Amino acid sequence: MKQLFNISSGAEQSGDLLLCELSHYHICLAGAHAAGAINWLQYYEKATPLTRADLVQLLQQEAIYPKSFKSLLIGSAFPDATLVPSGLAAEKDLGSFLNQQADVPVFTDEIEGQDVQVVYAIPAHFYNILSEGGNATTMHVHTAALRAQETDANNYMLLHFASREFRVVAVKEGQVQLAQVYPFTAPLDVVYYLLMISTEYNLPQSETTVYLSGLVDASSALYKELYQYYTKVQFAADAPFSLPQNDYQQHFFSSIFNLAACASSVVS
């Protein structure tokens, strides 16, 4: 695994809350002792899908023991997720929405004010390791992004970029239309998906605000390509959370900030 970020105040990597965001290709770990402050953050990526052995090795190598934290919030960035009307989610077996086997943990988050739930799966070999201490709560990163987002825009898309995937949440007239994860290798791949979404959900390019976060900046080819097609492109607003001193742009870490913002409502 390749470490992209290692931000620390020098304090021991323990505390009240452990935030863990993971997908098939990345994992971000962060620890906090108090509301509004993240004491350390580590971000890793891998060219091939993460395995159980990768996670075990990483936790041992960095001496991070999930059960030593009072609370753990697992942020799922896996693409195995779908939006389901709340009433329908209550009536059916959740795994049936994702065609998952019975032994795969499936969870659901309510999207406040939307009458919609996010139904999502986390691979058992990851979830079992992280939840061993019995202090784990889960949330999909789509849910955290929607809960944390503050905007006056009626039509907007939330985009978050990793190196091989990007996430999209599309909102039209205040209602969530789509929440999805897509692979990409070039900026035009991203443009293709966004134009398809704009057409399918009638989100005019000139009237839709596009919020960017993750591994993208204003000097990148990706940003310049997006700006040719969408006139309202801006980076995610600074979060009310602090990291130890570093030289990185804050929107790189918006996703983990979103989880931190939601933590008080879901962990004990």
Side-chain angles (χ1 to χ4, degrees):
M1 284 185 289
K2 179 181 179 181
Q3 185 181 73
L4 298 190
F5 303 109
N6 184 7
I7 301 171
S8 175
S9 61
E12 183 181 354
Q13 292 179 170
S14 60
D16 295 328
L17 172 65
L18 176 63
L19 303 167
C20 177
E21 177 185 305
L22 73 165
S23 73
H24 288 303
Y25 298 102
H26 87 277
I27 179 168
C28 181
L29 297 162
H33 284 288
I38 293 176
N39 298 318
W40 57 269
L41 179 149
Q42 296 182 0
Y43 187 107
Y44 295 84
E45 285 193 342
K46 192 181 176 191
T48 55
L50 291 167
T51 66
R52 181 185 187 279
D54 291 329
L55 179 58
V56 170
Q57 181 182 11
L58 174 60
L59 295 175
Q60 291 177 344
Q61 171 185 308
E62 301 298 340
I64 298 171
Y65 308 105
K67 61 185 178 182
S68 69
F69 291 80
K70 293 181 181 178
S71 300
L72 163 64
L73 179 55
I74 303 171
S76 172
F78 293 102
D80 302 312
T82 188
L83 296 175
V84 176
S86 296
L88 184 61
E91 294 173 1
K92 295 184 64 176
D93 173 63
L94 293 177
S96 65
F97 293 111
L98 302 171
N99 296 318
Q100 293 291 335
Q101 297 177 352
D103 59 344
V104 176
V106 179
F107 306 90
T108 180
D109 300 333
E110 188 75 32
I111 305 298
E112 290 83 356
Q114 296 284 337
D115 195 30
V116 164
Q117 290 181 320
V118 180
V119 177
Y120 57 99
I122 299 176
H125 53 276
F126 293 139
Y127 179 74
N128 292 342
I129 293 170
L130 293 168
S131 64
E132 184 180 7
N135 59 349
T137 307
T138 66
M139 178 178 290
H140 200 278
V141 291
H142 295 327
T143 308
L146 284 165
R147 289 181 180 177
Q149 178 64 32
E150 295 182 4
T151 179
D152 294 327
N154 207 28
N155 299 333
Y156 61 91
M157 289 191 282
L158 307 176
L159 309 187
H160 186 87
F161 292 91
S163 295
R164 296 168 184 80
E165 299 175 323
F166 75 104
R167 309 192 297 254
V168 183
V169 176
V171 176
K172 177 179 174 61
E173 297 179 356
Q175 296 298 309
V176 180
Q177 306 296 311
L178 171 142
Q180 191 57 268
V181 180
Y182 297 103
F184 79 100
T185 57
L188 283 177
D189 296 336
V190 177
V191 171
Y192 167 79
Y193 284 116
L194 296 187
L195 293 179
M196 180 179 63
I197 292 168
S198 292
T199 300
E200 183 172 350
Y201 296 100
N202 191 23
L203 289 166
Q205 293 163 239
S206 61
E207 300 174 15
T208 300
T209 303
V210 178
Y211 295 100
L212 306 181
S213 64
L215 304 182
V216 59
D217 61 39
S219 65
S220 66
L222 175 56
Y223 177 85
K224 294 172 182 176
E225 196 71 51
L226 288 173
Y227 211 84
Q228 292 188 51
Y229 293 88
Y230 291 87
T231 58
K232 297 181 178 181
V233 179
Q234 57 186 279
F235 291 102
D238 288 349
F241 289 88
S242 64
L243 280 170
Q245 180 62 38
N246 67 87
D247 297 325
Y248 302 114
Q249 298 178 62
Q250 194 175 37
H251 70 263
F252 287 178
F253 312 109
S254 293
S255 191
I256 207 73
F257 289 149
N258 291 342
L259 284 177
C262 296
S264 62
S265 65
V266 296
V267 299
S268 55

